[in-house]
């Protein structure tokens, strides 16, 4: 596919595939757009595959502008620089959907930046805990000295049961993660389980193996990997996967909180028969394992 400058351009069928909810992001301010475009110009050269392929489109600029507003310019610089370095020298034909691929790389970098910020916030909150406890105790003493107010009349509310369903955004994100999984595992070459070293005929079989372990638990076939996978799923909080968290909330309104773990999401997806959401969570967990080489917190 040739563009005006002779470079590869996405076909009409590729445009927008796997970009989930970027259109729902707030409109960027002129200042945010100026920062993003300056960073893209500085870090991504004219002959870089991400620029030639058309990956640096309006949707990507919108996403990066939201990161400027949330985490600051440094987070965007880090995301763009890491994505540019990891794709430098790649052939255009190595990636089927450059816009989705570039977005996934930059999201991953931004997510890691968010992880660091959360760790800092958690550290500060622990340091402030004694002062808050003392203030709370003083507040209780004052409240005990005040006369009790009459309890307000409680009017029961009619609550409709929530409707959970797989969404188009979940299915599109699942496809993006699966393509990344194929690339990470060598395409159609035989990948292996990071825990048991068992080889599979394809990445699809490896993902199915992990999904079976998460859904069915310990069976003769999945005993070892079930212990590791379920232990890690209970340890990983959904809030550390920002893109996945938004998709889960869209599929299951009101079902998840900041303390929700991937194990909780698997349970809801299983009980609600949400196959696409279950596969998306499985892919996110496997890719996180491959990224960080994390050991199971239960078995060590």
């Amino acid at each position: 596919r040739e563009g005006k400058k002779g470079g590869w351009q996405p076909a009409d069928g590729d445009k927008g595939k796997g970009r989930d909810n970027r259109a729902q992001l707030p409109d960027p301010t002129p200042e945010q757009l100026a920062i993003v475009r300056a960073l893209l110009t500085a870090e991504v050269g004219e002959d870089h595959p991400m620029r030639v392929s058309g990956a640096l489109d309006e949707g990507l600029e919108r996403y990066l502008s939201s990161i400027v507003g949330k985490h600051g310019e440094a987070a965007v610089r880090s995301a763009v620089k890491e994505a540019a370095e990891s794709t430098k020298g790649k052939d255009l034909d190595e990636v089927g959907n450059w816009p989705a691929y570039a977005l996934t790389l930059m999201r991953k970098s931004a997510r890691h930046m968010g992880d660091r910020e959360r760790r800092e916030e958690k550290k500060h909150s622990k340091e402030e805990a004694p002062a808050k406890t003392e203030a709370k105790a003083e507040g209780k003493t004052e409240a005990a000295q005040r006369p009790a107010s009459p309890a307000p009349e409680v009017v029961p509310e009619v609550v409709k049961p929530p409707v959970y369903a797989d969404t188009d955004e979940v299915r599109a994100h699942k496809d993006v993660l699966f393509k990344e999984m194929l690339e990470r595992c060598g395409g159609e070459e035989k990948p292996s389980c990071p825990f048991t070293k068992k080889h599979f005929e394809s990445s699809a079989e490896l993902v199915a193996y992990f999904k079976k372990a998460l859904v069915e638990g310990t069976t003769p076939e999945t005993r070892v990997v079930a212990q590791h996978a379920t232990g890690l799923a209970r340890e990983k909080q959904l809030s550390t996967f920002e893109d996945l968290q938004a998709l889960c909330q869209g599929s299951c309104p009101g079902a998840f909180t900041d303390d929700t773990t991937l194990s909780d999401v698997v349970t809801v997806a299983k009980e609600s028969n949400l196959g696409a959401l279950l596969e998306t969570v499985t892919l996110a967990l496997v890719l996180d394992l491959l990224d960080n080489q994390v050991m199971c917190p239960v078995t060590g």
Side-chain angles (χ1 to χ4, degrees), residues 203-267:
S203 295
E205 287 191 9
L206 174 58
V207 173
Y209 183 60
F210 264 88
K211 186 173 75 171
K212 184 175 182 179
L214 288 169
V215 173
E216 299 182 9
T218 301
T219 66
E221 181 185 357
T222 64
R223 182 179 61 82
V224 175
V225 74
Q227 285 184 304
H228 288 284
T230 55
L232 285 164
R234 287 194 298 266
E235 178 73 11
K236 291 287 185 179
Q237 288 190 326
L238 177 61
S239 59
T240 62
F241 299 80
E242 292 183 359
D243 46 352
L244 182 60
Q245 184 180 29
L247 295 172
C248 289
Q249 291 171 342
S251 286
C252 308
F256 307 121
T257 66
D258 288 342
D259 296 327
T260 296
T261 66
L262 292 189
S263 180
D264 298 327
V265 179
V266 169
T267 300

Side-chain angles (χ1 to χ4, degrees), residues 60-78:
L60 183 64
E61 289 182 347
R62 177 185 288 267
Y63 170 72
L64 293 177
S65 295
S66 73
I67 297 302
V68 171
K70 188 172 183 180
H71 299 298
E73 182 178 343
V76 176
R77 180 181 292 105
S78 175

Side-chain angles (χ1 to χ4, degrees), residues 181-193:
M181 180 74 183
L182 289 176
E183 293 175 6
R184 296 291 303 277
C185 293
E188 293 301 323
E189 296 179 7
K190 293 184 178 181
S192 62
C193 171

Side-chain angles (χ1 to χ4, degrees), residues 161-172:
V163 178
Y164 299 160
D166 282 325
T167 62
D168 291 338
E169 288 80 4
V170 169
R171 296 186 185 93

Side-chain angles (χ1 to χ4, degrees), residues 1-3 6-11 14 52-54 92-93 95-99:
R1 297 191 286 266
E2 297 293 328
W8 183 92
Q9 295 291 333
D14 293 334
V52 175
S53 65
L92 293 174
D93 293 335
V95 178
N97 188 334
W98 272 96

Side-chain angles (χ1 to χ4, degrees), residues 6-68:
W8 183 92
Q9 295 291 333
D12 292 340
D14 293 334
K15 292 179 180 178
K17 186 176 182 182
R19 299 188 191 176
D20 53 69
N21 59 351
R22 281 183 294 170
Q24 301 175 13
L25 293 170
D27 291 334
T29 65
E31 292 78 9
Q32 291 171 343
L33 271 179
I35 291 172
V36 168
R37 288 171 178 170
L39 289 173
L40 289 174
T41 299
E43 300 294 344
V44 185
E46 291 295 329
D47 58 347
H48 193 283
M50 288 199 301
R51 188 174 296 280
V52 175
S53 65
L56 309 182
D57 59 9
E58 181 181 348
L60 183 64
E61 289 182 347
R62 177 185 288 267
Y63 170 72
L64 293 177
S65 295
S66 73
I67 297 302
V68 171

